[in-house]
């Protein structure tokens, strides 16, 4: 089995739920504790062995490319002032030359369309999809857990988790079959999936939470450009069509997901990442307690 080297990150969304913060800053460049959401997600991908990141971007998102490139003036000034720790931290997120691609989606036609836009860059190999709104705090990182499942069973892997009560209809929902050995009941063959099922019709409470390992055959199915739930081209629909020919497994990963596409989720992610930072967890706790007492 060939290693999964490329990850597709659809980032073109308007960030409607976090406006006006996302008006002039691409939503995935908003901050979680000490760096942009996207830097955390790229670090997760690197920890899972990803060598090339394919960003599916929209107009006005040039700041994403700039973030992962050298900022010569900034770096020169930090070096001149002897601020070597900050300089090292800034450089830690840089891309290796040639290890990132930026593809314009050109029209907001849905997640499936965004992933399809990566077809030429990905080519004929298995690849990962990471939805950067969903910041996953996990050890091992969520995508590394998906890779371990992929190495065990091959085919296609979809990371899932239980939806909060009453919220399953907002997501892609999976139906499960036989359990795969060696994953404590957390890895199961998938028998179906449905995007945003009407409330009360959900086949389970397990929702597709934002990390996938997919075979390139999904691109042909996405190329049919069939609109699904909400009038959008849905990745879930193409995966369901691929399920007729190829195995899919759902992995219930171990970790905590923060939906950073939402104001409260973004705030929660900031607090959670600040609290776990070894250097200042104590200070953060004291600051929060101070606020709660005031
Ligand atoms: C997308 C996917 C859905 C998944 C969700 C996770 O939906 O289509 O299957 O459950 O992301 O956030 P969206 O949030 O774009 O409506």
């Amino acid at each position: 089995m060939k290693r999964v080297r490329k990850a597709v990150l659809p980032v073109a969304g308007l960030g409607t739920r976090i406006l006006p913060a996302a008006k002039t800053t691409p939503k995935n460049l908003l901050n979680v504790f000490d760096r942009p959401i996207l830097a955390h997600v790229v670090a997760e991908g690197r920890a899972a062995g990803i060598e090339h990141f394919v960003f599916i971007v929209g107009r006005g998102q040039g700041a994403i490319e700039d973030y992962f490139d050298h900022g010569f003036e900034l770096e020169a000034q930090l070096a001149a002032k002897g601020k070597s720790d900050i300089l090292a931290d800034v450089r830690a997120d840089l891309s290796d030359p040639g290890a990132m691609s930026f593809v314009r989606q050109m029209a907001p036609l849905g997640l499936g369309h965004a992933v399809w836009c990566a077809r030429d860059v990905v080519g004929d190999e298995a690849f990962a999809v990471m939805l950067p709104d969903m910041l996953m705090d996990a050890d091992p990182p969520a995508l590394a857990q998906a890779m371990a499942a992929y190495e065990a069973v091959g085919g296609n892997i979809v990371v899932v988790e239980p939806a909060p009560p009453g919220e399953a209809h907002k997501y892609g929902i999976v139906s499960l079959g036989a359990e795969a050995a060696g994953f404590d009941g957390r890895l199961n063959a998938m028998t179906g999936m449905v995007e945003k099922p009407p409330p009360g019709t959900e086949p389970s409470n397990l929702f597709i939470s934002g990390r996938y390992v997919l075979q390139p055959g999904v691109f042909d199915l996405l190329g049919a450009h069939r609109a699904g739930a909400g009038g959008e081209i849905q990745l879930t629909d193409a995966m369901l069509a691929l399920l007729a020919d190829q195995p899919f497994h759902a992995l219930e990963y171990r970790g905590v997901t923060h939906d950073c596409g939402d104001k409260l989720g973004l705030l929660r992610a900031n607090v959670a990442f600040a609290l776990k930072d070894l250097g200042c967890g104590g200070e953060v706790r004291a600051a929060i307690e101070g606020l709660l007492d005031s």
Side-chain angles (χ1 to χ4, degrees):
M1 187 187 294
K2 276 175 84 179
R3 246 167 33 77
V4 177
R5 300 184 309 115
K6 296 176 185 168
V8 176
L9 287 77
V11 294
L14 292 179
T16 322
R17 289 179 293 152
I18 35 175
L19 285 171
K23 181 181 169 189
T24 49
T25 302
K27 63 172 175 170
N28 297 130
L29 285 187
L30 293 175
N31 193 57
V32 168
F33 182 48
D34 62 346
R35 57 226 314 123
I37 298 165
L38 213 39
H40 293 290
V41 176
V42 165
E44 179 196 329
R46 286 189 177 132
I50 296 298
E51 295 166 4
H52 194 112
F53 294 86
V54 186
F55 295 90
I56 311 302
V57 295
R59 284 181 282 283
Q61 293 192 320
I64 296 176
E65 289 184 52
D66 291 343
Y67 183 81
F68 292 103
D69 193 0
H70 286 288
F72 277 109
E73 238 180 81
L74 173 69
E75 291 179 33
Q77 282 185 26
L78 290 172
K81 288 183 178 159
K83 298 195 183 295
S84 50
D85 289 359
I86 301 176
L87 180 58
D89 204 18
V90 165
R91 285 183 173 158
D93 288 344
L94 295 187
S95 167
D96 287 334
M100 286 188 173
S101 300
F102 298 85
V103 178
R104 288 282 193 116
Q105 189 180 359
M106 298 178 74
L109 299 180
L111 175 61
H113 179 260
V115 171
W116 176 77
C117 289
R119 66 201 180 281
D120 286 346
V121 184
V122 170
D124 192 23
E125 54 186 276
F127 64 104
V129 174
M130 306 178 81
L131 305 188
D133 284 2
M134 303 301 257
L135 191 52
M136 295 186 177
D137 188 6
D139 184 16
L143 189 62
Q145 295 183 37
M147 294 294 194
Y150 177 66
E151 277 155 28
V153 294
N156 300 266
I157 306 291
V158 177
V159 170
V160 300
E161 62 187 275
E167 300 213 347
H169 65 279
K170 296 183 181 167
Y171 299 102
I173 302 293
V174 302
S175 343
L176 300 185
E179 181 183 322
F183 285 81
D184 303 329
R186 292 177 303 104
L187 185 65
N188 289 269
M190 280 167 62
T191 53
M193 62 195 110
V194 53
E195 184 65 24
K196 301 194 175 62
T201 69
E202 303 91 345
S204 78
N205 75 331
L206 289 175
F207 79 95
I208 298 171
S209 61
R211 302 293 181 269
Y212 313 67
V213 178
L214 298 175
Q215 297 299 325
V218 79
F219 289 127
D220 291 339
L221 295 158
L222 287 169
H225 290 202
R226 239 173 255 122
E232 298 189 343
I233 299 168
Q234 297 290 356
L235 180 58
T236 305
D237 294 342
M239 293 194 299
L240 180 63
L242 192 60
L243 177 64
D245 294 327
Q246 294 186 13
F248 271 75
H249 283 82
L251 174 72
E252 206 177 323
Y253 93 111
R254 286 193 216 273
V256 177
T257 301
H258 302 286
D259 182 356
C260 295
D262 175 80
K263 285 178 188 171
L264 186 58
L266 184 58
L267 175 64
R268 232 174 116 247
N270 268 286
V271 175
F273 274 62
L275 282 173
K276 82 175 180 159
D277 185 86
L278 292 179
C280 59
E283 282 171 50
V284 175
R285 194 172 291 273
I288 293 170
E289 281 167 1
L291 283 172
L292 290 172
D293 289 346
S294 64

